Amino acid sequence: MDDLTPLRQQWLDRIKSAADPASIEEVRLAALGKKGEISLKMRELGRMTPEERQTKGRALNELRDEIDTALRARKAALEDAALEARLAEEWLDVTLPGRPRAQGTIHPISQVMDEIAAIFADMGFAVAEGPQVESDWYNFDALNIAPEHPARQEHDTFFMHRAEGDDRPPHVLRTHTSPVQIRAMEEHGTPIRVIAPGRTYRMDMDQTHTPMFHQLEGLAIDRDISMAHLKWVLEEFYSAFFGTRVKTRFRASHFPFTEPSAEVDIQCSWEGGQLRVGEGDGWLEVTGSGMVHPHVLRSAGVDPDQWQGFAFGMGIDRLAMLKYGIPDLRAFFESDLRWLRHYGFAAGNVPSLSGGLSR
């Protein structure tokens, strides 16, 4: 036992002088590792007599345990000291006011709807609303859509469930916001200038179509309204919306609820794969329009011999995609924050009326 006293003191002194965890590990290996001094002495027990082994073995085991305990204690002391030093340096003043965190922002579609409403309000258009579950009459018949029209088939339209024996007229999830035209004329009469933004539903799903989307319907009825007024209104709207002067082109088309009807294209160009509205020699279709069909006026209780007007419809989601350079409509439909942040719609970032076209 006495011949181990210097050895014990030697290792206790080395442990005490270790200044960091790396030094502690170095001491542990030198004393208790496979080739450590104390480990080598324990291997010598096999060459001793049983009496010597009993005495020396007990002493070496006690020494090994004492050194191991000292190593653990020193390591814990060093870790405590390091933590105390860190706490002293990284103190926190809990009396300071909290850091503000962005709580979110208006969805891009809602932002665009607000922009559109503001622009049309400057031209004297009020906002009209209607139900999203519509009767067959308002959604189709009143708009001069014939019974055999494809839109009235189940592969295009969501029909509401009817119990067996329920013979009431069918109801649908509205396929456009055009029914609001009829309801607005019935409620307010003429003359009238309204826009009807809102959700619509059709059985479609791909990169540029979703089963639920947003549409804007516009209607103006007066005694002397013409296609010229329609063209002026749309050019003023697109110029304000895209923040640059935009020319339009009308192409003859057919819609059941207007006569004559026209597809409306806006001037654009493609440079480096980026769409630029209001310049170049290209054209992009954006709107369906025309003079309101006499049958539609009669359905709303308006005399077509005394009143006439124009109507137009456009996709709000598509306008947002064009303005902000978003190629996939599912960025809006899925409302995935990763999509929205990728296209610049971070919390607190609300585009202005004169925001850029694309990124």
Side-chain angles (χ1 to χ4, degrees):
M1 183 74 178
D2 290 342
D3 61 337
L4 295 179
T5 300
L7 184 62
R8 175 185 290 104
Q9 194 59 48
Q10 169 193 335
W11 288 112
L12 292 177
D13 290 343
R14 288 190 61 177
I15 293 170
K16 186 177 180 179
S17 62
D20 51 59
S23 300
I24 286 291
E25 181 63 12
E26 183 180 334
V27 173
R28 186 190 70 79
L29 291 174
L32 304 178
K34 288 184 178 181
K35 297 182 179 181
E37 186 173 7
I38 296 176
S39 298
L40 292 176
K41 284 188 173 296
M42 295 192 72
R43 291 180 186 177
E44 296 175 358
L45 293 174
R47 298 193 296 269
M48 297 180 183
T49 64
E51 293 77 10
E52 292 176 326
R53 188 160 52 244
Q54 184 177 7
T55 303
K56 291 286 186 179
R58 184 184 299 109
L60 285 171
N61 281 328
E62 291 175 354
L63 175 60
R64 181 188 60 191
D65 292 343
E66 185 178 357
I67 297 300
D68 183 64
T69 300
L71 285 167
R72 293 177 185 275
R74 181 58 178 168
K75 182 179 180 180
L78 289 174
E79 290 175 348
D80 290 344
L83 179 60
E84 290 293 335
R86 183 178 175 185
L87 291 174
E89 293 177 0
E90 299 179 4
W91 60 277
L92 176 66
D93 186 351
V94 295
T95 65
L96 290 174
R99 295 171 181 169
R101 297 182 63 184
Q103 296 298 310
T105 186
I106 301 174
H107 192 279
I109 293 297
S110 299
Q111 292 177 14
V112 170
M113 291 175 72
D114 289 344
E115 291 180 38
I116 292 172
I119 294 170
F120 277 109
D122 288 341
M123 291 188 279
F125 285 79
V127 175
E129 297 180 336
Q132 296 180 44
V133 177
E134 270 292 10
S135 69
D136 202 51
W137 161 257
Y138 281 106
N139 199 77
F140 297 122
D141 293 325
L143 294 166
N144 200 36
I145 299 176
E148 66 274 9
H149 194 281
R152 303 186 74 154
Q153 307 304 311
E154 291 187 352
H155 60 75
D156 268 4
T157 299
F158 292 99
F159 284 84
M160 306 305 292
H161 175 71
R162 280 278 187 265
E164 187 176 352
D166 188 343
D167 297 326
R168 289 180 298 166
H171 280 66
V172 301
L173 292 179
R174 66 183 182 188
T175 59
H176 42 192
T177 53
S178 302
V180 182
Q181 283 188 36
I182 308 298
R183 293 182 176 276
M185 286 189 283
E186 287 180 338
E187 182 177 355
H188 302 291
T190 52
I192 188 172
R193 272 184 286 181
V194 295
I195 58 169
R199 295 185 181 92
T200 55
Y201 305 85
R202 295 180 192 174
M203 288 190 178
D204 214 346
M205 181 63 177
D206 58 33
Q207 184 172 340
T208 56
H209 297 86
T210 61
M212 187 280 288
F213 57 101
H214 300 80
Q215 193 180 66
L216 176 88
E217 190 81 14
L219 173 72
I221 303 293
D222 213 320
R223 296 195 183 273
D224 299 310
I225 287 183
S226 69
M227 291 284 283
H229 296 105
L230 169 62
K231 184 175 177 65
W232 179 85
V233 165
L234 291 178
E235 286 193 352
E236 288 298 306
F237 165 70
Y238 284 117
S239 296
F241 183 73
F242 288 108
T244 185
R245 178 51 55 182
V246 178
K247 295 180 180 179
T248 62
R249 180 181 71 175
F250 280 36
R251 290 179 291 106
S253 186
H254 169 73
F255 302 108
F257 28 80
T258 52
E259 181 60 39
S261 303
E263 298 279 7
V264 182
D265 304 332
I266 56 175
Q267 179 189 17
C268 69
S269 69
W270 288 91
E271 292 184 8
Q274 186 178 53
L275 174 69
R276 297 186 181 277
V277 175
E279 59 182 64
D281 55 5
W283 297 94
L284 181 67
E285 178 190 326
V286 289
T287 303
S289 67
M291 300 299 290
V292 180
H293 197 288
H295 179 80
V296 175
L297 293 175
R298 290 192 192 96
S299 297
V302 176
D303 185 354
D305 294 328
Q306 300 293 322
W307 303 93
Q308 63 187 35
F310 62 75
F312 57 84
M314 58 186 73
I316 296 175
D317 310 70
R318 187 162 184 240
L319 287 179
M321 293 170 68
L322 293 175
K323 184 168 185 176
Y324 298 110
I326 299 174
D328 195 322
L329 189 59
R330 288 167 291 190
F332 295 149
F333 184 69
E334 296 175 1
S335 297
D336 190 324
L337 289 179
R338 293 169 296 180
W339 277 102
L340 300 181
R341 288 169 182 161
H342 176 75
Y343 293 112
F345 291 99
N349 178 21
V350 180
S352 66
L353 289 179
S354 58
L357 299 184
S358 56
R359 292 173 174 80

